[in-house]
Amino acid sequence: MWFLNQETGCTWEVTDKELMLRLQASGHYEQVNEPKQVEAEQDVAQTKVQAVKNMKRTEKAQAKEEQEPVHE
């Protein structure tokens, strides 16, 4: 079964019956049909883009820290 985390938008395949029951009882998860392959590929591409953005942001912050004079 597949479950959608309504807070993050991530879809998870769950095979453990006990976990399925807990997720169904939770207000944060919704049981959904198996996601289409195209959607999964788009999610991977979007995740890669976000990772690159985060890396660039980290590099900029690091460069800025290196440029700032150290006050002691």
Side-chain angles (χ1 to χ4, degrees):
M1 288 187 165
W2 290 84
F3 287 88
L4 170 67
N5 182 321
Q6 295 176 345
E7 293 178 357
T8 64
C10 293
T11 305
W12 302 94
E13 182 178 18
V14 180
T15 56
D16 183 71
K17 295 202 182 293
E18 185 178 319
L19 179 57
M20 285 183 211
L21 293 173
R22 286 188 286 159
L23 294 177
Q24 288 170 339
S26 170
H28 299 286
Y29 291 87
E30 173 186 348
Q31 185 176 339
V32 295
N33 294 331
E34 184 175 346
K36 298 175 188 168
Q37 185 64 26
V38 173
E39 292 174 356
E41 290 172 2
Q42 289 173 346
D43 289 345
V44 168
Q46 185 177 12
T47 301
K48 287 180 182 179
V49 167
Q50 188 60 43
V52 169
K53 286 181 181 178
N54 289 343
M55 287 172 47
K56 288 181 180 178
R57 188 177 311 130
T58 302
E59 289 171 0
K60 286 180 183 178
Q62 186 176 7
K64 185 177 178 182
E65 289 174 0
E66 291 173 357
Q67 292 176 354
E68 292 177 353
V70 178
H71 298 287
E72 294 184 19

